[in-house]
Structure formats: C-alpha cells, structure tokens
Amino acid sequence: MPGKKIYARTTVGIAIILATTYLAVAYPTIFPTGTTIYKPARAYSSYILISDHSDVGNHPDAAVRADGTVPNDIRLIDMNGNVVHSWTVSAWLNKRSRLLPNGHLLYAGPNQTIFEYDWDGNVVWTHKGIGSVNDLRWLPNNNRLLVAHQLMPDDFQNQVRDVEIAPWWPPRKRGSEEHQRSADIYEVTADGEVVWEWHAYNHFDLNKFSPATPEGDWLHVNSIAPLPENKWFDAGDRRFRPGNILVNARNLDTIYLVDKETKAVVWEVTHTYKGGMSHSHEPEMIEKGLPGAGNIILFDNGLFPRHRTHSGQTFIIELNPITQEIVWTYETEGYANIKFFSKTMGSQRRLPTGTTFIAEDNTGRLFQVTPEGEIVWEYVNRGGTTRPSPVPYDFTPQLRALPRPDELAVTPPNNLEWHLQPDVLRDETPGADS
C-alpha cells in the first residue's frame, strides 16, 4: 500500500502560456523564465547549479549555445535567479556537472573527456577515453567515479539471444544484429589511474530487456550514487555499507546495489505503484540528519509505463529500502494531466527543511515542494536543464566569502486574470503586459 500521496497543481511557470507558431520552427508556447514563485519562509534557500541542455530556449530568439564554447553555460544562481558565478565550458549537449567542495567544477564534456575547472574557469584536470559518460561523482578520497555505456565483449554478446515478441512488437535480433552496450563503472584517481571497475555484463541477466527501448541500449544506467552513512548499516545490515553504489538501470526499471568490496549485487528494488517504475533517474539514499534519512528517493519519469495512470506523468517516489514500501510520493492531480512530466531526464533532492527539490529537466522547470505538496519555489530556465542541484550557501570557500544573497518573495499573477496585451495596446517598455 503506497504511503502518503501528494497532489499539487502547477500555479505558474509553464502554465502561463501563449500559443505561437513560426514558419521555420514551431514553438508551442512562450512563457516566463526566471523565478516565478518564492516563499522564503517556507523554502530551503540556497544557490542552484544549472547546466543548460537544449539548444534553444522557449522563445525563437532565445538560442543558448552557438559554436565551440558557450559563455556562462554552467551557472550558479540564487533563489531569485541572479547569476552568482558561471563557467564557460567546452560545448556539449549533456553538460553533466558537479560542484566540488573546493569550488572546482567536474564536467562530462565532449570527445569522451572529463574536465575539471577551477573557480576561475581554468582547466586543471582532464581524463579521456571512457565512452558515453552519463554520471560522475567526486569521492572523499579525491577519486572520481564514472559510468560509461561501452559495447559488451564478444564473449558476452554471443550469449544474447534473438527473440520473437508478441503481439505487437517486431522480432528483436538482440544477439545477431544488435551489439549491446553495457554499464561500466570506473573509479579513477587524480593521476588518471583506474583503481576499481565494475561491468554489468558480469552480474546481470543478459537476456532480460525491455522491447520498448532503442536497439543495443540494454541497460542505459543513468545514475550511480555511493551510499552515505546510514542507520541500516549502523544496525548491522552489511548490504548498506557506506560507499556501496546504487546503480539505476533505466531500461530495466530496476535499481541495484553493488557491494564495493565484492562487486556483487546485494540488493535490488522496483515498485508497482500505478503500474510500476517507468524509466527512472537519480535514485539516492537520503542522508543522515535529513527528514526521511535512510530512505531511497527517485525521479520516476513515466516513459514507457505499464499502466495508463502513469502515462504522461512523472512521480517522485520515496521508499523504505528494507520493506520496499512507498512512504511518500509527489505527483500532480488528474489523469494524464502532464503538469509534471520529464520524459528522459530529471532529479530530486531532500532538503534540510523537509522540502524536496525537483528538476523537471526536459522543460527546464525547477521547483521545491513541502511534504504536503505546496510549491514554495519555482524557477523556469531559458531552456532544458541537465540535473541541476541545490548548493548550500557555505558549500565552498568562495561561496563563504560572498555576502548572503537577498531572499525576495515572488508571488505569481493569477493565471485567470493575467494576460498579454495586443502589441498596439502595450506601452513602450519591451515586454510590458497587463
């Protein structure tokens, strides 16, 4: 039986729209960007690290990248949307980045290259040669954990069977015509030495797959998350040893836990809520000291769902890893309302105040909700985002040296009353409205 369900209506952001069509490219909506809701007394205030994803924003003149490098494409903003700091990085669509405690930026860039930039934007470290990096983590020993999607060795590919799929799926030549990509995790030192590695083909059923996924994309592991210190391990459950790695196999709708010492899969979970997990992202264990500590929280996208009640809707799922019971969900109200939906990306984070940060990456809408589902902060980016994350005010020495930003409340207009005026009725101020 699922735990507490939260339904919430989107009050602003993508709900304020003006349908517009252009001859060259169709833009379905034009809507406000920046901070659209902010209740400082209810929200957890921090900086936010944002990486752009899409090549254009929500307006025909809002291109966000051009060629080579893109100035200020990875940014730290405050809760009112002001840019506090930025980095210019090698241009790349995915832009997976993480801020380190020393103020450096770790970034998965083009040409199978991991970059580390210092606070001033200088490249201080690179690592090249691990293909298709989809997640990267900095470890306390200053090593880096990377996940890649590399072609399986022939010995394992030869074990993959062709299948007939009924009633509406075509046959899949998974063994004879598709070359399957696996999931390969590497721990790399600052000197570039690989000191630990793990390959999914040694541990998973090679013939368990989803017929709805692209050819050769067997697992599509999109997240690796080392466990923090937690109450389960403290109570004697060795499966949850800190440092063991949560591995999210998106295309299998399953989360696995890999023992760092033995490399064995010691735990796995999915869920059955409204048809079950549907191509999720970013499962993480909530850290000690935070509400829900020890639970697993994840972004359940809703791509290729098994039941119509999940179609076109994303859920945030929090579950107890021991009982595997769902203890909290966030979803929007109504059948297939698509008010909260990110088809292919997204993330979430439990915050010290008990609110939850959510990134609807496909739209670039970031927001924060209370346990009851009230939206207490919302920010709409100029385009899509790639796994943005809250950054505490004191996270790095450089941020500690900055004055605390203003935290100015933002109350959205009433959607039923607010509208754009025709051009001839506007005043001379660009963008003026009623």
Side-chain angles (χ1 to χ4, degrees), residues 148-170:
H149 303 149
Q150 298 172 317
L151 295 176
M152 290 198 304
D154 289 343
D155 287 350
F156 292 90
Q157 176 64 33
N158 292 338
Q159 299 175 40
V160 178
R161 298 190 299 267
D162 293 345
V163 293
E164 297 287 339
I165 307 174
W168 51 81
W169 298 104

Side-chain angles (χ1 to χ4, degrees), residues 42-44 291 349-357 368-371 376:
R42 306 290 307 281
Y44 173 75
R349 183 78 56 83
R350 179 59 46 78
L351 300 172
T353 55
T355 56
T356 301
F357 170 85
Q368 196 178 130
V369 300
T370 67
V376 293

Side-chain angles (χ1 to χ4, degrees), residues 418-429:
W418 185 92
H419 63 278
L420 292 175
Q421 286 278 20
D423 293 349
V424 296
L425 299 181
R426 295 191 191 187
D427 63 31
E428 295 181 357
T429 304

Side-chain angles (χ1 to χ4, degrees), residues 87 98-106 116-120 122 124-125 144 395-396 398:
W87 290 263
R98 295 191 183 275
L99 186 63
L100 308 187
N102 64 356
H104 290 193
L105 185 80
L106 200 60
E116 184 177 337
Y117 296 87
D118 66 15
W119 184 259
D120 297 320
N122 302 303
V124 296
W125 182 80
R144 295 88 202 273
F395 186 67
T396 75
Q398 299 86 350

Side-chain angles (χ1 to χ4, degrees), residues 71 136 154 163 172 192 202 223 242 248 264 288 335 340 387 406:
L136 69 171
D154 289 343
V163 293
R172 289 289 294 266
N202 287 320
S223 173
N248 187 63
K288 280 186 174 181
Y335 168 63
F340 171 38
R387 316 298 205 283
D406 293 331

Side-chain angles (χ1 to χ4, degrees), residues 177-200:
E177 296 182 5
E178 301 177 22
H179 200 155
Q180 303 298 326
R181 293 188 298 277
S182 182
D184 309 277
I185 304 175
Y186 297 90
E187 182 177 343
V188 180
T189 69
D191 295 327
E193 179 186 1
V194 175
V195 294
W196 185 88
E197 59 186 275
W198 180 91
H199 303 279

